[in-house]
Amino acid sequence: MSPAHLRGVHPSRWMWFGVLAAVLLPALGSAQAPACQRLTEEYGLQPLAGCHLDQGRPVLDAAALARLDYDPHGLAAVYAADSFHYVTRQGRTQAVITWDNGPDYLEEGLLRGRVGPRIAYFNAALEQAVPGTFDFGWPFADGVAQVCNGCRPGTPDGDGHTPIEGGEWFDIDRHGRRVPDTASP
């Protein structure tokens, strides 16, 4: 409005504009994504009420646990704090790496999870089976997994796949022990 138009507006209307702005602007500014989203097969990621973050880990109440879609291993996928997490029916959670636009797969009874910036391997009960001492690791196949230390993510390709480059590569067994055959990617 021009200054000439503003002179004709009664001061009580300005007060209402101020009250309205004070009420609506904070609500608009605080609109944000939900703390947690559940992964569904039919609809993808969906908001998950009853879930909050505690030090970067999702914590779910009983109602939220009941709404999850569990796989045959008793695991459900939740996206929170910029990472996928598996959740058991009892509410135990573990951050896992993203693979094929979702949480890592259970291979030979183990999946790759995060312990800080490192990779460890966990069983279906989300108990740590191999210590988190690796910068990266591939899934287990035929009882061994190829892992590396000192490697780092490279430049993503056109499809969004990020290569892992450099470092020392070697194979480990299901106890995290180095096996004799050394491999490189």
Side-chain angles (χ1 to χ4, degrees), residues 35-37 45 53 56-58 77-86 94-98 102-104 112-116:
C36 306
Q37 297 175 300
L45 291 174
L53 296 178
R57 296 179 70 99
V78 170
Y79 189 79
D82 297 323
S83 179
F84 278 101
H85 300 255
Y86 273 123
Q94 176 58 52
V96 297
I97 68 167
T98 299
D104 193 40
R112 297 171 290 169
R114 296 207 179 277
V115 177

Side-chain angles (χ1 to χ4, degrees), residues 19-94:
V19 169
L20 188 60
V23 170
L24 291 179
L25 289 179
L28 293 174
S30 67
Q32 55 183 304
C36 306
Q37 297 175 300
R38 67 187 182 109
L39 182 61
T40 67
E41 196 158 324
E42 190 172 355
Y43 301 109
L45 291 174
Q46 297 294 306
L48 180 61
C51 178
H52 69 276
L53 296 178
D54 183 11
Q55 298 181 6
R57 296 179 70 99
V59 177
L60 292 79
D61 65 22
L65 288 171
R67 285 191 299 277
L68 296 178
D69 299 333
Y70 294 94
D71 68 13
H73 304 288
L75 298 173
V78 170
Y79 189 79
D82 297 323
S83 179
F84 278 101
H85 300 255
Y86 273 123
V87 180
T88 65
R89 293 180 194 279
Q90 296 76 30
R92 185 176 193 154
T93 66
Q94 176 58 52

